[in-house]
Amino acid sequence: MARVAIVTGGTRGIGHAISVALKNAGYRVAANYAGNDEAAQKFQAETGIPVYKWDVGDFEGCEKGLAEVTAALGPIDVVVNNAGITRDAMLHKMTKEQWDQVIRTDLDCCFNMSRPVIDSMRARKFGRIVNISSINGRKGQMGQSNYSAAKAGMHGFTKALAYEGARKGITVNTVAPGYINTEMVAAVPKEVLDTQIIPQIPVARLGEAEEIARAVVFLASDDAGFITGACLDVNGGHYIAL
Ligand code: CAA
């Protein structure tokens, strides 16, 4: 029986590529999204992957949504916490709302999406949780104290849960993308992107969503069973950490 994977923010950007790559690798995939119905319907029509709408910042919404996916596809084997938002501003201009929105979506999602499935993964002695962090949770980024904090928090969550899951066949890892050719990066002021960011990328280009998706498919696979608590940097050499 094919394994079941849920990808949050799975209908657009990096999540779109992850959903499709997992499907092509033989998983039964469900793609979660929060708001853009039009994009989600288009995605479903094009890929045949069912879409489910809920807010990953809302614990009860996650419980309900994950129960629906389980009823439709079966117990969840793979959770990809990909959904994320930015609300960039220097701290001296950042509002409390911008802080709260990012922490709620980008960090609370780890608990909200993992807690409802962890008992079943432990009972079945198999699970893969892949958290999509960011280069900016690794190195920090001006204008992103909220986002860098949330994404760095994901690494702490990953490492702690990796210990807990290790003897139960559950691996927990992060993938930390660099600057990828998506709408999120397109929202960075062009002047900043061209003069401050791209020149710092050794491979001299933005990454492609499919390059992140391939890393996720690997971490979800049986081949990656001995990898847990790890962070896979996929950033074109933009931040090289050992
Ligand atoms: N790297 C280096 N320098 C940067 C920078 C960056 N990423 N972002 C801004 N700066 C510099 C600007 O060039 C500017 O320099 P000067 O004062 O020398 O002109 C200075 O910081 C202040 O910037 P702004 O004039 O734009 O100030 P602002 O208050 O209007 O906006 C900002 C500040 C919100 C940080 C805005 O510049 C911005 O959005 N920058 C991009 C931040 C960024 O990299 N976000 C990543 C989004 S993509 C993502 O998050 C996905 C992922 O995981 C990688």
Side-chain angles (χ1 to χ4, degrees):
M1 199 64 164
R3 287 183 175 143
V4 175
I6 171 77
V7 182
T8 67
T11 64
R12 294 195 297 141
I14 292 174
H16 183 301
I18 295 171
S19 298
V20 170
L22 285 169
K23 183 183 178 197
N24 290 342
Y27 292 82
R28 280 175 291 156
V29 180
N32 149 273
Y33 73 103
N36 191 332
D37 294 314
E38 197 184 325
Q41 291 312 319
K42 186 164 176 278
F43 167 87
Q44 182 167 284
E46 282 173 7
T47 64
I49 295 170
V51 297
Y52 294 83
K53 185 175 184 177
W54 74 80
D55 171 1
V56 297
D58 171 13
F59 180 63
E60 285 170 10
C62 289
E63 282 188 309
K64 195 162 162 282
L66 288 164
E68 272 175 44
V69 173
T70 302
L73 302 183
I76 291 165
D77 302 295
V78 180
V79 173
V80 183
N81 278 313
N82 165 77
I85 60 169
T86 53
R87 296 289 182 269
D88 292 0
M90 302 292 222
L91 187 72
H92 61 273
K93 296 182 190 169
M94 188 178 289
T95 63
K96 178 73 165 71
E97 192 184 13
Q98 287 174 314
W99 173 267
D100 287 342
Q101 284 176 340
V102 170
I103 299 296
R104 181 177 180 280
T105 302
D106 296 8
L107 182 57
D108 287 0
C109 67
C110 290
F111 177 83
N112 295 347
M113 286 294 298
S114 306
R115 182 64 187 89
V117 300
I118 201 76
D119 289 329
S120 162
M121 286 181 173
R122 289 172 68 88
R124 290 179 295 118
K125 296 193 168 38
F126 183 86
R128 294 280 188 268
I129 297 177
V130 183
N131 295 317
I132 308 302
S133 174
S134 164
I135 184 175
N136 294 340
R138 305 275 279 153
K139 71 171 187 57
Q141 170 57 52
M142 61 194 302
Q144 290 200 306
S145 55
N146 49 5
Y147 185 84
S148 297
K151 294 297 190 180
M154 262 189 164
H155 294 293
F157 176 87
T158 297
K159 289 187 278 188
L161 190 57
Y163 284 117
E164 295 183 14
R167 292 195 184 179
K168 299 286 182 188
I170 302 167
T171 69
V172 191
N173 294 290
T174 55
V175 172
Y179 283 72
I180 307 300
N181 190 10
T182 59
E183 281 173 34
M184 186 182 272
V185 167
V188 171
K190 187 170 171 7
E191 159 83 8
V192 171
L193 198 59
D194 290 346
T195 64
Q196 307 280 358
I197 295 173
I198 293 179
Q200 291 175 16
I201 305 175
V203 303
R205 65 169 173 86
L206 297 176
E208 295 299 330
E210 291 72 19
E211 293 177 300
I212 305 304
R214 286 195 285 274
V216 174
V217 170
F218 170 62
L219 289 174
S221 72
D222 285 329
D223 286 344
F226 202 54
I227 302 175
T228 194
C231 172
L232 185 47
D233 291 304
V234 187
N235 63 30
H238 193 166
Y239 177 67
I240 298 179
L242 291 176

